[in-house]
Amino acid sequence: MFRKRKNTNKEPEIWYSLAIMTDQEMSDEDYDQIMNKIDDHVDKVGFSCNLTRSTSDKEYLIELEEKMNLNSYTKPSYLLFRISHNEIKAKEKALEKKHRFKHFFNLISFAEYDLIATKVMTSPRHLVFYSDSLEEAIKFLKEH
């Protein structure tokens, strides 16, 4: 008897991370309100955060400025980055290789893994969309 093979060439689902860029830290209520609007319309956002210009790394802001003119957008601005799961895995393996002893005894902290994932998920080279309109960000997510 013959069985049908599963399609193993299926393209992986694309996920995005959303960064809400503000001058100062957002209140939890404002952040939750925005995320609830996003969640009501799309489910492709695997990570979200509030990036503040006042506390962000200057080099990071310069890289973002090369991709978009940060000052031409009202506050808040919405930035969407394509999540690269392969890059996250590669950087985690590099961390584990660098700290073999800590990895062997399971001493690499969650914070170290989280830092790697956050840096990759908000890397300017993965920026695919930016706007000061939440509705435009939702429209982009629905279309892609």
Side-chain angles (χ1 to χ4, degrees):
M1 184 160 204
F2 294 99
R3 282 196 214 173
K4 207 175 196 181
R5 283 188 179 182
K6 289 183 180 179
N7 184 2
T8 57
N9 295 332
K10 190 175 177 182
E11 197 169 309
E13 192 171 353
I14 298 171
W15 285 84
Y16 296 94
S17 59
L18 169 69
I20 306 166
M21 174 85 55
T22 55
D23 285 332
Q24 300 297 322
E25 192 73 29
M26 293 178 74
S27 71
D28 289 340
E29 295 82 26
D30 290 342
Y31 181 79
D32 289 341
Q33 184 179 14
I34 290 171
M35 290 314 302
N36 288 337
K37 284 182 185 178
I38 294 273
D39 291 341
D40 287 345
H41 298 285
V42 291
D43 59 353
K44 294 181 184 180
V45 177
F47 175 79
S48 63
C49 66
N50 176 214
L51 292 176
T52 56
R53 293 175 198 225
S54 59
T55 59
S56 291
D57 180 28
K58 300 298 179 210
E59 288 179 28
Y60 178 77
L61 292 175
I62 290 170
E63 282 184 65
L64 272 179
E65 184 69 35
E66 290 174 1
K67 297 276 186 178
M68 61 182 274
N69 183 0
L70 290 174
N71 295 325
S72 67
Y73 291 90
T74 60
K75 285 69 173 179
S77 345
Y78 305 94
L79 292 75
L80 290 170
F81 303 87
R82 190 174 192 164
I83 296 176
S84 174
H85 297 288
N86 292 335
E87 186 176 345
I88 293 169
K89 287 177 188 176
K91 290 196 181 267
E92 286 175 345
K93 283 188 179 204
L95 173 72
E96 292 165 356
K97 187 176 180 180
K98 180 179 178 183
H99 301 287
R100 285 186 178 135
F101 182 78
K102 286 174 74 175
H103 177 61
F104 180 77
F105 289 104
N106 203 22
L107 296 174
I108 298 176
S109 70
F110 172 76
E112 290 177 87
Y113 286 107
D114 189 48
L115 181 64
I116 287 171
T118 301
K119 281 187 176 185
V120 172
M121 290 189 285
T122 59
S123 172
R125 74 176 173 279
H126 297 296
L127 182 68
V128 293
F129 176 86
Y130 50 91
S131 174
D132 51 8
S133 167
L134 181 59
E135 290 73 27
E136 286 181 22
I138 292 170
K139 182 180 176 187
F140 176 87
L141 287 167
K142 283 182 177 180
E143 293 174 355
H144 293 91

